[in-house]
């Protein structure tokens, strides 16, 4: 029995995304952990990622002209790119710093709070309204995370605060992307988003790096292994593009399911690679409770979107439209896209390819979810 080529490519891209996403997180933990590579400078590592991504994007845009730069005015750059870059840099900084204090498994469990953080920020910014059914789901997620945290053997307040702060910074970035970029009508693909966002994020990170890590690096006299940092940066960049490929062939629901699968795989792998990452039964129970809340929340949003579709469209017709739209977006990265995702796909450096990840390559359902709720 011949396997459909399109279906095969879809599953291949999903596999690559899960592999790279898990690999980047484990690689970052290994590099930063004092027990392994012992490079306890998360801001420096994040700056390496941003510098490398920005340089590659510059070559692709200005030298090889793979894509054309967008019409970027000073007003748009100052009012949109700079604030988004600031929160993007913050989310990466805090998220990577958490690796110094808590395990990968516990970090993944805390990331179940992403829907809660996004909803809170969306309500505060006026892009979403609080509903009782959604509120109850978010309450369930929160309870699950609290239970999981209570069961954490190596619970660390500092690491937990860093991770939660990073989650809220990422949530605010997603909301700002919708509020600022979409209102300006600016469309960015993964390459142009790196071209504009990465250098600005690098500049923002330089400030805390100068005050927090510069002296420590000089005193410790750490020898730089260029191959390690180069390969780490390449993996992070490849993850950005893998997300773009996945979104080009699937919808929001598939990506969310893949994200949940990736989280479970990552939790299991982290306990094997890092033996000190002990998982308790209470950890699993808490995470399962939180996951139920996330799944129910996703179901509510998908149901809302389906209800908003034209009743005259039959299910096959809607599937056909979605498929044609996704295929068109896969074949032409310069088409008229919604804009938030090209920036949002960058957040995957820190696994910011959470189940609520947004992208301009979302299907009709994904885009509707995006405009109704997050970024």
């Amino acid at each position: 029995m011949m396997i459909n080529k399109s279906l095969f490519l879809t599953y291949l891209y999903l596999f690559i995304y899960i592999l790279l996403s898990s690999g980047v997180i484990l690689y970052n933990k290994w590099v930063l952990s004092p027990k392994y590579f012992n490079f306890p400078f998360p801001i420096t590592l994040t700056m390496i990622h941003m510098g490398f991504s920005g340089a590659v994007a510059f070559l692709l845009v200005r030298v090889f002209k793979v894509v054309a730069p967008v019409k970027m005015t000073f007003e748009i750059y100052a009012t949109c790119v700079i604030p988004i870059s600031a929160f993007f840099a913050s989310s990466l900084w805090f998220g990577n710093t958490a690796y110094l204090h808590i395990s990968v498994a516990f970090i993944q469990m805390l990331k179940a709070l992403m829907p809660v953080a996004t909803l809170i920020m969306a309500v505060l910014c006026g892009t979403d309204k609080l509903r009782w059914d959604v509120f109850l789901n978010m309450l369930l997620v929160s309870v699950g995370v609290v239970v999981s945290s209570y069961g954490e053997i190596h619970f660390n307040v500092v690491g937990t605060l860093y991770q939660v702060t990073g989650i809220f910074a990422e949530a605010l970035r997603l909301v700002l992307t919708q509020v600022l970029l979409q209102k300006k009508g600016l469309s960015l693909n993964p390459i142009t988003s790196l071209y504009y966002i990465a250098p600005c994020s690098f500049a923002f990170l330089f400030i805390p790096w100068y005050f927090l890590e510069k002296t420590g690096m000089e005193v410790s006299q750490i020898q730089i292994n260029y191959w390690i940092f180069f390969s780490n940066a390449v993996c992070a960049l490849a993850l950005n593009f893998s997300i773009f490929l996945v979104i080009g062939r699937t919808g929001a629901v598939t990506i969310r399911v893949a994200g949940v699968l990736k989280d479970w795989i990552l939790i299991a792998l982290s306990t094997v690679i890092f033996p000190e990452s002990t998982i308790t039964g209470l950890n699993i129970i808490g995470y399962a409770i939180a996951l139920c809340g996330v799944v129910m929340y996703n179901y509510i949003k998908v149901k809302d979107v389906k209800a908003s579709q034209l009743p005259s469209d039959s299910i096959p017709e809607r599937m056909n439209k979605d498929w044609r739209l996704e295929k068109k977006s896969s074949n032409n990265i310069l088409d008229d896209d919604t804009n938030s995702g090209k920036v949002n796909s960058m957040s995957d450096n820190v696994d910011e390819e959470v189940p609520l990840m947004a992208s301009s390559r979302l299907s009709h359902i994904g885009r509707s979810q995006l405009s109704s709720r997050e970024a």
Side-chain angles (χ1 to χ4, degrees):
M1 180 178 173
M2 293 295 293
I3 300 177
N4 182 278
K5 182 180 178 181
S6 178
L7 186 63
F8 172 77
L9 287 176
T10 299
Y11 282 114
L12 177 63
Y13 291 157
L14 282 171
F15 173 76
I16 293 173
Y17 154 69
I18 292 174
L19 182 66
L20 285 172
S21 178
S22 303
V24 167
I25 292 172
L26 294 172
Y27 203 169
N28 286 348
K29 172 68 175 179
W30 181 81
V31 169
L32 293 169
S33 176
K35 294 183 179 180
Y36 298 96
F37 187 69
N38 191 24
F39 185 79
F41 301 105
I43 303 176
T44 304
L45 183 65
T46 308
M47 289 178 69
I48 291 173
H49 290 172
M50 291 297 96
F52 181 78
S53 297
V56 171
F58 177 84
L59 291 174
L60 294 176
V61 173
R62 293 297 183 184
V63 179
F64 299 106
K65 301 187 184 301
V66 175
V67 297
V70 300
K71 294 180 180 179
M72 180 70 67
T73 65
F74 177 78
E75 179 198 359
I76 293 177
Y77 194 86
T79 59
C80 297
V81 174
I82 289 180
I84 289 172
S85 299
F87 286 104
F88 179 54
S90 300
S91 68
L92 297 179
W93 167 21
F94 293 129
N96 281 338
T97 303
Y99 289 124
L100 296 175
H101 306 280
I102 55 180
S103 67
V104 171
F106 187 48
I107 286 175
Q108 294 308 118
M109 295 175 189
L110 288 175
K111 283 181 179 178
L113 282 174
M114 189 65 194
V116 180
T118 305
L119 179 65
I120 291 173
M121 292 303 175
V123 171
L124 291 177
C125 294
T127 61
D128 201 355
K129 294 180 180 180
L130 187 62
R131 292 164 37 185
W132 279 108
D133 54 352
V134 175
F135 173 76
L136 291 175
N137 283 331
M138 297 301 96
L139 187 61
L140 184 62
V141 172
S142 301
V143 169
V145 172
V146 170
V147 172
S148 181
S149 300
Y150 184 77
E152 177 64 17
I153 294 178
H154 305 293
F155 182 81
N156 183 285
V157 176
V158 175
T160 302
L161 288 176
Y162 268 119
Q163 183 58 44
V164 172
T165 304
I167 288 171
F168 274 89
E170 174 66 7
L172 185 55
R173 181 187 71 83
L174 293 174
V175 175
L176 284 178
T177 300
Q178 179 187 4
V179 173
L180 299 177
L181 284 186
Q182 287 185 357
K183 285 186 177 180
K184 298 291 184 180
L186 187 64
S187 177
L188 298 174
N189 59 52
I191 298 175
T192 52
S193 66
L194 288 174
Y195 176 73
Y196 291 109
I197 301 291
C200 192
S201 296
F202 182 92
F204 274 109
L205 289 167
F206 180 82
I207 299 172
W209 174 83
Y210 185 84
F211 291 102
L212 299 177
E213 293 188 0
K214 179 177 180 292
T215 303
M217 292 185 68
E218 292 173 346
V219 172
S220 59
Q221 296 181 342
I222 292 179
Q223 293 184 355
I224 302 297
N225 186 320
Y226 292 101
W227 167 247
I228 292 293
F229 292 112
F230 174 74
S231 60
N232 184 259
V234 168
C235 289
L237 182 65
L239 175 58
N240 287 322
F241 292 121
S242 75
I243 295 170
F244 168 66
L245 291 174
V246 168
I247 293 171
R249 304 193 67 89
T250 64
V253 177
T254 304
I255 294 170
R256 293 180 181 195
V257 172
V260 171
L261 177 62
K262 180 266 302 176
D263 287 341
W264 281 108
I265 293 174
L266 193 51
I267 289 173
L269 278 177
S270 67
T271 59
V272 175
I273 298 175
F274 307 110
E276 69 275 10
S277 301
T278 306
I279 297 179
T280 66
L282 207 52
N283 280 145
I284 298 299
I285 292 173
Y287 186 61
I289 293 172
L291 196 59
C292 287
V294 173
V295 171
M296 291 169 63
Y297 173 76
N298 288 341
Y299 172 75
I300 289 174
K301 302 310 291 185
V302 171
K303 187 173 68 173
D304 289 345
V305 170
K306 287 184 177 180
S308 68
Q309 290 179 333
L310 294 176
S312 58
D313 285 351
S314 66
I315 292 178
E317 287 172 341
R318 286 200 294 263
M319 290 175 64
N320 256 344
K321 288 181 180 178
D322 285 347
W323 182 83
R324 287 197 301 270
L325 187 59
E326 290 176 358
K327 184 167 180 61
K328 179 181 178 183
S329 65
S330 299
N331 291 337
N332 187 356
I333 65 173
L334 296 177
D335 279 349
D336 247 346
D337 306 318
T338 29
N339 37 55
S340 64
K342 300 313 191 307
V343 178
N344 291 343
S345 64
M346 293 174 56
S347 64
D348 288 48
N349 287 13
V350 273
D351 180 38
E352 303 19 288
E353 59 315 297
V354 291
L356 294 183
M357 175 185 61
S359 171
S360 59
R361 293 297 176 196
L362 292 178
S363 66
H364 175 71
I365 290 179
R367 282 194 297 273
S368 301
Q369 286 173 311
L370 203 59
S371 61
S372 67
R373 180 188 56 78
E374 47 179 46

